[in-house]
């Protein structure tokens, strides 16, 4: 919770940052898109995000078109200069606008093909998007909600659970998890071991939920945690997944094989915050 971007060499044993970007300079001209590997994206709570030129350690304002705080931002793929972003105004914004969420967007993950991405929303859904369906501007308003709530300490209103956006541009919508208390993350499963045929998410329900991307069926629920599960990560090559929660545990889940559907009976190994012990 500070206005500092830390740049760290993950391949080194050094624990100090290579650089701490603290001086914010406003530059109307973003860095030239000739070498995207030198560009990082940073968010802040003032309705825009900035591109950072890592070599020059300089900020460049990129977008100020949001109506609310920006919660998430992603490059479309490893070589593209297209950026996906989502904020509390409920819109996904690449080079245009994608409508469908009724509440703020907490996280975005890209499929890596420059076309598809998923988003988690405070409307208790996560959605699959195709950027070829985007609009140049907002064309529909879901209307003013007849309830007041704050996801940080209130349950989602029952009367809102069946509401839909009148101009929903998403390809698919997935339900069953809970996005409350914190900015819950969601991801595509890895291409190497699963062919990206699953999507998965943390949840306020303290579980990892895994869905079939095409059918939308919930194929697995991984249960161990006792508090909101904010983040999880599927290993890019091995059949393992790790999850972290407010209960202080980091859990490693092991699947039977690369071609198998993840099952609830998956083996798990737990590291606790207090004792750093593990058990099967």
């Amino acid at each position: 919770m500070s206005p500092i971007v830390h740049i760290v060499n993950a391949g080194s044993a050094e624990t100090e940052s290579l650089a701490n970007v603290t001086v914010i300079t406003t530059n109307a001209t973003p860095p030239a898109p000739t070498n995207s590997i030198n560009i990082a994206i940073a968010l802040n709570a003032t309705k825009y995000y900035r591109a950072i030129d890592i070599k020059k350690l300089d900020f460049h304002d990129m977008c100020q078109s949001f109506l609310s705080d920006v919660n998430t931002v992603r490059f479309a793929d490893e070589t593209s200069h297209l950026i996906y972003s989502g904020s509390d105004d409920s819109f996904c914004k690449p080079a245009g606008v994608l409508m469908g969420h009724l509440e703020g967007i907490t996280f975005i993950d890209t499929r890596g093909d420059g076309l598809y991405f998923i988003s988690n929303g405070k409307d208790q859904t996560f959605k699959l998007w195709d950027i070829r369906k985007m609009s140049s501007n907002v064309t529909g308003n879901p209307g003013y909600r007849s309830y007041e709530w704050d996801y940080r300490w209130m349950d989602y209103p029952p009367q809102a659970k069946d509401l839909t956006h009148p101009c929903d541009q998403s390809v698919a919508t997935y339900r069953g998890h809970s996005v409350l208390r914190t900015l819950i993350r969601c991801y595509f499963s890895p291409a190497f071991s699963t062919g990206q045929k699953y999507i998965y998410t943390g949840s306020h329900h303290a579980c990892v939920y895994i869905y079939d991307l095409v059918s939308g069926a919930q194929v697995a629920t991984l249960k161990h945690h006792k508090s909101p599960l904010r983040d999880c990560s599927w290993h890019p090559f091995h059949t393992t997944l790790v999850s972290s929660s407010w209960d202080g545990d980091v859990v490693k889940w092991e699947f039977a094989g690369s071609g198998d559907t993840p099952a609830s009976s998956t083996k798990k190994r737990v590291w606790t915050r207090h004792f750093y012990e593990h058990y099967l």
Side-chain angles (χ1 to χ4, degrees), residues 235-258:
H235 194 283
F237 304 113
H238 303 307
T239 54
T240 58
L241 183 150
V242 292
S243 58
S244 61
S245 166
W246 284 6
D247 61 13
D249 286 352
V250 175
V251 180
K252 177 182 178 182
W253 307 86
E254 298 178 347
F255 305 141
S258 60

Side-chain angles (χ1 to χ4, degrees), residues 23-228:
V23 178
I24 299 176
T25 61
T26 300
N27 188 334
T29 305
T34 56
N35 190 358
S36 60
I37 196 171
N38 295 325
I39 303 299
I41 300 296
L43 306 175
N44 66 22
T46 52
K47 305 177 180 60
Y48 60 92
Y49 56 82
R50 286 175 162 144
I52 305 171
D53 188 316
I54 296 175
K55 286 187 174 181
K56 296 180 180 179
L57 300 184
D58 193 15
F59 281 95
H60 304 263
D61 288 344
M62 293 290 289
C63 182
Q64 296 180 325
S65 62
F66 294 94
L67 303 176
S68 302
D69 294 350
V70 185
N71 295 325
T72 179
V73 65
R74 273 269 202 251
F75 281 105
D77 54 44
E78 294 181 356
T79 60
S80 175
H81 300 291
L82 181 65
I83 297 169
Y84 304 147
S85 58
S87 80
D88 278 338
D89 62 13
S90 79
F91 301 127
C92 295
K93 296 181 179 181
V97 177
L98 287 164
M99 297 169 288
H101 280 295
L102 297 174
E103 301 287 348
I105 296 167
T106 66
F107 197 73
I108 282 174
D109 186 44
T110 175
R111 195 165 184 258
D113 57 6
L115 295 176
Y116 294 98
F117 69 95
I118 54 175
S119 62
N120 235 347
K122 297 176 185 177
D123 55 6
Q124 313 307 298
T125 70
F126 69 118
K127 290 177 173 288
L128 173 67
W129 306 90
D130 182 342
I131 68 168
R132 292 169 293 189
K133 299 180 67 175
M134 70 184 177
S135 303
S136 58
N137 51 48
V138 178
T139 58
N141 192 324
Y144 293 102
R145 62 189 186 193
S146 59
Y147 53 88
E148 290 295 331
W149 81 291
D150 191 310
Y151 88 109
R152 292 172 295 181
W153 57 77
M154 299 171 66
D155 291 336
Y156 195 59
Q159 66 268 33
K161 291 182 178 179
D162 295 325
L163 297 178
T164 58
H165 196 292
C167 300
D168 191 351
Q169 296 170 295
S170 63
V171 176
T173 300
Y174 310 85
R175 303 176 186 271
H177 68 307
S178 176
V179 183
L180 296 171
R181 309 298 182 266
T182 186
L183 301 177
I184 304 291
R185 276 81 162 115
C186 63
Y187 302 94
F188 286 94
S189 64
F192 180 83
S193 59
T194 71
Q196 294 184 311
K197 63 182 179 181
Y198 303 116
I199 51 179
Y200 63 104
T201 178
S203 177
H204 174 253
H205 293 149
C207 302
V208 178
Y209 290 90
I210 304 176
Y211 298 81
D212 184 282
L213 177 65
V214 176
S215 70
Q218 191 178 116
V219 299
T221 304
L222 308 182
K223 299 180 180 180
H224 165 83
H225 294 287
K226 304 297 188 295
S227 298

